[in-house]
Amino acid sequence: SQQGEEDPQALSIQEGENATMNCSYKTSINNLQWYRQNSGRGLVHLILIRSNEREKHSGRLRVTLDTSKKSSSLLITASRAADTASYFCATDAGIQGAQKLVFGQGTRLTINP
Amino acid sequence: DTGVSQNPRHKITKRGQNVTFRCDPISEHNRLYWYRQTLGQGPEFLTYFQNEAQLEKSRLLSDRFSAERPKGSFSTLEIQRTEQGDSAMYLCASRPDGWGFYTDTQYFGPGTRLTVL
């Protein structure tokens, strides 16, 4: 079963706008990771944030983590057509080192040129 | 290309047949993971290996499924007596041992898409 939910399930914006996706989870975690998946392809790792961190940046990506609310958000700034993909959050909630990732259902992001 | 590779990329089979998928992880990665992803859903954990030892299996992995990593390098996932419900993308991922950003990141292969007719 999925660890949590992502919101929205689908998002369509114009190129150049910012895109925000949210992820909620149910249990305590070691870290939370965001992945991107282009249609029918494998997953590409975007960013990892640890349970003791509140915010991380990587290029146009900004991730926040609120462990008290068990939620995370992914912000993509200045979106491009190439950002069109599904985005998944994944939590590592097990024994440290095992890292069985538990994924959300994903947000399908469409960037309109 | 030194990433995770999976073969075949696509497999179409008839119900009741056996299928086997192969995953070649990044060469220095000790840990290897299998996930299954159905259409419109996120991946779900199936099993993982540390070197050749299979350390955990999900309840999703029925007795028709078996995974091996005989020499701690490549891994195979076999499904016996396939059912239509087995149709999915099967994803493999690998990572090094230890803790830290580079070791905590799982690197995914392109997946094998299975269609059971």
Side-chain angles (χ1 to χ4, degrees):
Chain A
S1 63
Q2 311 278 270
Q3 158 76 293
E5 297 180 355
E6 297 191 49
D7 171 54
Q9 291 189 3
L11 178 62
S12 181
I13 61 174
Q14 295 299 119
E15 194 168 18
E17 294 180 340
N18 296 342
T20 299
M21 289 158 271
N22 302 296
C23 167
S24 61
Y25 56 92
K26 298 175 183 174
T27 65
S28 297
I29 60 172
N30 300 315
N31 62 66
L32 184 146
Q33 305 181 35
W34 285 89
Y35 285 84
R36 184 186 74 220
Q37 185 177 39
N38 290 88
S39 181
R41 311 291 290 273
L43 280 80
V44 174
H45 186 268
L46 295 176
I47 197 165
L48 178 152
I49 186 165
R50 300 194 182 285
S51 59
N52 61 353
E53 297 176 312
R54 292 298 167 257
E55 186 171 314
K56 286 191 81 169
H57 297 256
S58 177
R60 295 183 296 113
L61 306 180
R62 172 176 166 257
V63 168
T64 62
L65 178 65
D66 186 334
T67 53
S68 66
K69 296 181 180 178
K70 293 187 170 55
S71 67
S72 174
S73 67
L74 171 67
L75 168 67
I76 303 175
T77 60
S79 62
R80 305 167 182 169
D83 294 329
T84 294
S86 291
Y87 291 81
F88 295 92
C89 67
T91 51
D92 172 14
I95 299 169
Q96 283 222 354
Q99 208 198 53
K100 301 181 304 177
L101 294 179
V102 180
F103 287 82
Q105 293 183 320
T107 293
R108 293 187 307 279
L109 176 65
T110 302
I111 309 298
N112 301 303
Chain B
D1 188 345
T2 57
V4 178
S5 62
Q6 292 186 246
N7 288 288
R9 295 290 307 277
H10 303 272
K11 179 70 177 178
I12 299 174
T13 191
K14 293 183 179 179
R15 188 177 55 187
Q17 298 293 305
N18 299 343
V19 295
T20 300
F21 311 140
R22 174 175 171 133
C23 170
D24 287 88
I26 295 172
S27 61
E28 65 269 25
H29 288 185
N30 297 332
R31 294 188 185 249
L32 185 148
Y33 300 78
W34 284 99
Y35 293 85
R36 182 174 70 185
Q37 184 180 25
T38 54
L39 202 60
Q41 301 294 314
E44 294 179 291
F45 169 81
L46 292 179
T47 188
Y48 90 98
F49 293 83
Q50 181 177 9
N51 299 312
E52 65 274 13
Q54 188 174 17
L55 297 185
E56 190 165 345
K57 295 191 291 186
S58 161
R59 291 192 302 270
L60 295 174
L61 216 63
S62 75
D63 56 7
R64 297 185 297 105
F65 288 71
S66 62
E68 294 183 343
R69 195 182 183 196
K71 296 183 180 179
S73 57
F74 72 91
S75 175
T76 58
L77 177 67
E78 181 183 16
I79 308 174
Q80 296 182 327
R81 306 180 302 281
T82 53
E83 301 172 356
Q84 288 185 326
D86 297 332
S87 294
M89 175 81 88
Y90 290 83
L91 294 161
C92 175
S94 71
R95 71 175 183 99
D97 256 341
W99 299 343
F101 174 77
Y102 293 104
T103 54
D104 284 352
T105 298
Q106 289 190 21
Y107 296 87
F108 281 80
T112 294
R113 181 168 295 283
L114 173 66
T115 301
V116 181
L117 302 176

